[in-house]
Amino acid sequence: MKIRSVQNTRKITKAMEMVAASKMRKARSACATRAYGEKIRNVAAHISHANPEYRHPFSLDRDSVKRVGIIVITTDKGLCGALNTNLLRLVQAQYKEWQAQGEEIEVCAIGNRASASCSGSARSSARTSCSSATARRWTS
């Protein structure tokens, strides 16, 4: 009886070690991702301040807008359901707002979830675009 309980305790301890090791790998990965994000922000800030007198036409404020373009990029796989859902909810709300203002809207959807969302009944004129097989493009 005592040998069996020791073996069971050993199995439980081994499982706990494996879980702890997995959590450590995730934590290390998160730290590496955070450093990457900070570096990207630094590069973008440096580029934006490099030549302050140059203004790209897309970044200028305009009195009247003729057309609006939205590029939606979602994930193809993984455990990112909340990310995709929140992103598509935000895009659909903005789309409806601009549509109510009478704007001409063009959307380029990249990713499985975005492609599925853009091929809904309200956007029946979806056509394949871009170089990706999972990209779709539609106009209002």
Side-chain angles (χ1 to χ4, degrees), residues 72-77 79-91 113:
V72 184
I73 303 173
T74 60
T75 61
D76 286 341
K77 50 183 154 177
L79 299 172
C80 302
L83 170 76
N84 292 330
T85 302
N86 291 334
L87 174 67
L88 293 172
R89 187 179 298 140
L90 177 73
V91 168
R113 300 292 172 11

Coordinates of all heavy atoms in Angstrom, one line a residue, residues 72-77 79-91 113:
V72 N -8.0 44.8 -43.1 CA -8.3 43.9 -41.9 C -7.4 42.7 -42.0 O -7.4 42.0 -43.0 CB -9.7 43.5 -41.9 CG1 -10.0 42.7 -40.6 CG2 -10.7 44.7 -42.0
I73 N -6.5 42.5 -41.0 CA -5.6 41.3 -41.0 C -6.0 40.5 -39.7 O -5.9 41.0 -38.6 CB -4.2 41.8 -40.9 CG1 -3.8 42.7 -42.1 CG2 -3.3 40.5 -40.9 CD1 -2.5 43.3 -42.1
T74 N -6.4 39.3 -39.9 CA -6.8 38.4 -38.8 C -5.9 37.2 -38.9 O -5.2 36.9 -39.9 CB -8.2 37.9 -38.9 OG1 -8.5 37.2 -40.1 CG2 -9.2 39.1 -38.7
T75 N -5.9 36.4 -37.8 CA -5.1 35.2 -37.8 C -5.8 34.0 -38.5 O -7.0 34.1 -38.7 CB -4.9 34.7 -36.3 OG1 -6.2 34.5 -35.7 CG2 -4.2 35.8 -35.5
D76 N -5.0 33.1 -39.0 CA -5.5 31.9 -39.7 C -5.8 30.8 -38.7 O -6.8 30.0 -38.8 CB -4.6 31.4 -40.7 CG -4.6 32.3 -42.0 OD1 -5.5 33.1 -42.1 OD2 -3.6 32.3 -42.7
K77 N -5.0 30.6 -37.7 CA -5.1 29.5 -36.7 C -4.5 29.9 -35.4 O -3.9 31.0 -35.3 CB -4.6 28.2 -37.2 CG -3.1 28.3 -37.7 CD -2.7 26.9 -38.2 CE -1.6 27.1 -39.3 NZ -1.2 25.8 -39.7
L79 N -5.0 30.0 -30.9 CA -6.0 30.4 -29.9 C -6.2 31.9 -29.8 O -6.0 32.5 -28.8 CB -5.6 29.8 -28.6 CG -5.5 28.2 -28.6 CD1 -4.9 27.8 -27.3 CD2 -6.8 27.6 -28.8
C80 N -6.6 32.5 -30.9 CA -6.8 33.9 -30.9 C -8.2 34.3 -31.2 O -8.5 35.3 -31.9 CB -5.9 34.5 -32.0 SG -4.2 34.1 -31.8
G81 N -9.2 33.6 -30.7 CA -10.6 33.9 -31.0 C -11.0 35.2 -30.5 O -11.7 36.0 -31.2
A82 N -10.6 35.6 -29.3 CA -11.0 36.9 -28.8 C -10.4 38.1 -29.6 O -11.0 39.1 -29.8 CB -10.6 37.0 -27.3
L83 N -9.1 37.9 -30.0 CA -8.5 38.9 -30.8 C -9.3 39.1 -32.1 O -9.6 40.3 -32.5 CB -7.0 38.5 -31.1 CG -6.3 39.3 -32.2 CD1 -5.9 40.7 -31.6 CD2 -5.1 38.6 -32.7
N84 N -9.5 38.0 -32.8 CA -10.3 38.1 -34.1 C -11.7 38.7 -33.9 O -12.1 39.6 -34.6 CB -10.4 36.8 -34.8 CG -9.0 36.3 -35.2 OD1 -8.1 37.1 -35.6 ND2 -8.8 35.0 -35.2
T85 N -12.4 38.2 -32.9 CA -13.7 38.7 -32.6 C -13.8 40.2 -32.3 O -14.6 40.9 -32.9 CB -14.3 37.9 -31.4 OG1 -14.3 36.5 -31.7 CG2 -15.8 38.3 -31.1
N86 N -12.9 40.6 -31.4 CA -12.9 42.1 -31.1 C -12.5 42.9 -32.2 O -13.0 44.0 -32.5 CB -11.9 42.3 -29.9 CG -12.5 41.7 -28.6 OD1 -13.7 41.5 -28.4 ND2 -11.6 41.3 -27.7
L87 N -11.5 42.5 -33.0 CA -11.1 43.2 -34.2 C -12.2 43.3 -35.2 O -12.5 44.4 -35.7 CB -9.9 42.5 -34.8 CG -9.4 43.1 -36.2 CD1 -8.8 44.5 -36.0 CD2 -8.4 42.3 -36.8
L88 N -12.9 42.2 -35.5 CA -13.9 42.3 -36.5 C -15.1 43.1 -36.0 O -15.8 43.8 -36.8 CB -14.4 40.9 -36.9 CG -13.3 40.1 -37.6 CD1 -13.7 38.6 -37.8 CD2 -13.0 40.7 -39.0
R89 N -15.4 43.0 -34.7 CA -16.5 43.9 -34.1 C -16.2 45.3 -34.3 O -17.0 46.1 -34.7 CB -16.7 43.5 -32.7 CG -17.9 44.2 -32.0 CD -18.0 43.8 -30.6 NE -18.2 42.3 -30.5 CZ -17.7 41.6 -29.5 NH1 -16.9 42.1 -28.6 NH2 -18.0 40.3 -29.5
L90 N -14.9 45.7 -34.1 CA -14.5 47.1 -34.2 C -14.6 47.6 -35.7 O -15.1 48.6 -36.0 CB -13.1 47.3 -33.7 CG -12.4 48.6 -33.9 CD1 -13.1 49.6 -32.9 CD2 -10.9 48.6 -33.6
V91 N -14.1 46.7 -36.6 CA -14.2 47.0 -38.0 C -15.6 47.2 -38.5 O -15.9 48.1 -39.2 CB -13.4 46.0 -38.8 CG1 -13.7 46.1 -40.3 CG2 -11.9 46.1 -38.6
R113 N -10.4 34.4 -40.9 CA -11.6 35.0 -40.2 C -12.0 36.2 -40.9 O -13.2 36.5 -41.0 CB -11.2 35.3 -38.7 CG -10.8 34.1 -37.9 CD -11.9 33.2 -37.7 NE -11.8 31.9 -37.1 CZ -10.8 31.2 -36.5 NH1 -9.7 31.8 -36.4 NH2 -10.9 30.0 -36.0

